[in-house]
Structures are given as C-alpha cells and as structure tokens.
Amino acid sequence: MPKRSYEHSNIETRIKEIVNFRNAHQKLREVVSKVFSEERNEGEIHALREINIAYTHFTTFDVLDISQEGSATWVQARKQYEQKIDRVEGQIAAKLKDRLGSAKNANEMFRVFSKFNALFFRPKIKGAIQEY
C-alpha cells in the first residue's frame, strides 16, 4: 500500500523540527547555566548572551512558513545559530578540559563528567572528552 501524503505533513514536519530545536536550545541554556554557576562570572554571562543572540535569528521570520523561501530562511537561520553556538561550545570545551586536567583522581573526573554530561552530544564537547 503506498504511503499517503497529506497537505499538512510539511507543516507537521516543521513543527516537530521547531519542538526539537527549542528543546535542544533550552537544554543548552540550562547546562551552560549549571556549568558556569559556580563562578557567576563574565564567562557565564557572555555564554548565555551568545546563546540568546543566536536564538534571535528565529524571531525575525515566520518559522511556520514552509514555502521554498521560508524553508531556505529556516535552513539559513539554523546555520547562523550553529555558528554562534560553536563559539560557546569552544568556551565550554576549554572549561571542561581545564577541570579534567586539574582533577586529582577518578572520582573528581567523574564529578566533572556528570556536570557536563548533558552536553556530550555537542561535537566540540565530545572531542574534549575524547582527549581524556
């Protein structure tokens, strides 16, 4: 039996993408706050500011526009978001390496890993972990 194609399937797909994107964005914000919470310094403020700025790319257009132009805008906004988030990831990866490097024993390393574990899906974080 051939798969049926409904008129609303494209918008349904976009809504799922938006939900997944929003969940990942919120998770990133929460983890960055948690990771930098001990110091409450410029690093946390800067990282959260960069995350918020990256998200503003999605407030300038209709994310539910599934026309060719709307889809191209969605893809471009995702690329811009990822570029900005890459910088934040670099900061987090440096902090992770620093904490792992200063860990005196395996228990301290496990504590560091547990604090950063929600970000292990991000490429730069994964790379920093693989060094240890």
Side-chain angles (χ1 to χ4, degrees), residues 29 32-33 36 40-54 84-92:
R29 281 184 47 79
V32 167
S33 289
F36 286 99
R40 281 284 184 216
N41 63 13
E42 271 304 305
E44 176 192 12
I45 295 167
H46 180 71
L48 289 174
R49 187 178 318 125
E50 285 291 319
I51 292 170
N52 290 335
I53 290 169
K84 290 217 181 274
I85 295 304
D86 278 348
R87 283 184 268 177
V88 175
E89 275 186 34
Q91 294 171 0
I92 295 169

Side-chain angles (χ1 to χ4, degrees), residues 2-122:
K3 186 176 178 181
R4 292 185 181 176
S5 178
Y6 297 102
E7 289 183 31
H8 70 279
S9 60
N10 289 339
I11 193 79
E12 181 181 16
T13 300
R14 176 63 60 85
I15 290 171
K16 287 178 183 176
E17 289 174 1
I18 293 168
V19 168
N20 291 337
F21 171 77
R22 284 281 300 152
N23 288 340
H25 173 76
Q26 192 58 36
K27 183 178 179 182
L28 179 64
R29 281 184 47 79
E30 289 170 3
V31 173
V32 167
S33 289
K34 186 172 115 179
V35 166
F36 286 99
S37 67
E38 294 172 358
E39 296 96 29
R40 281 284 184 216
N41 63 13
E42 271 304 305
E44 176 192 12
I45 295 167
H46 180 71
L48 289 174
R49 187 178 318 125
E50 285 291 319
I51 292 170
N52 290 335
I53 290 169
Y55 185 76
T56 61
H57 293 294
F58 294 92
T59 62
T60 60
F61 69 98
D62 180 9
V63 294
L64 295 176
D65 180 2
I66 55 172
S67 67
Q68 280 186 331
E69 184 179 312
S71 293
T73 304
W74 170 258
V75 169
Q76 184 62 31
R78 292 290 304 253
K79 286 180 185 175
Q80 290 172 340
Y81 177 84
E82 288 299 326
Q83 288 172 349
K84 290 217 181 274
I85 295 304
D86 278 348
R87 283 184 268 177
V88 175
E89 275 186 34
Q91 294 171 0
I92 295 169
K95 188 171 224 32
L96 175 60
K97 288 178 189 177
D98 182 50
R99 289 192 182 174
L100 287 172
S102 65
K104 294 177 179 66
N105 57 41
N107 284 339
E108 286 182 20
M109 287 183 102
F110 283 123
R111 248 183 258 121
V112 171
F113 283 133
S114 71
K115 191 164 192 174
F116 286 82
N117 73 345
L119 288 174
F120 288 177
F121 68 96
R122 302 296 300 182

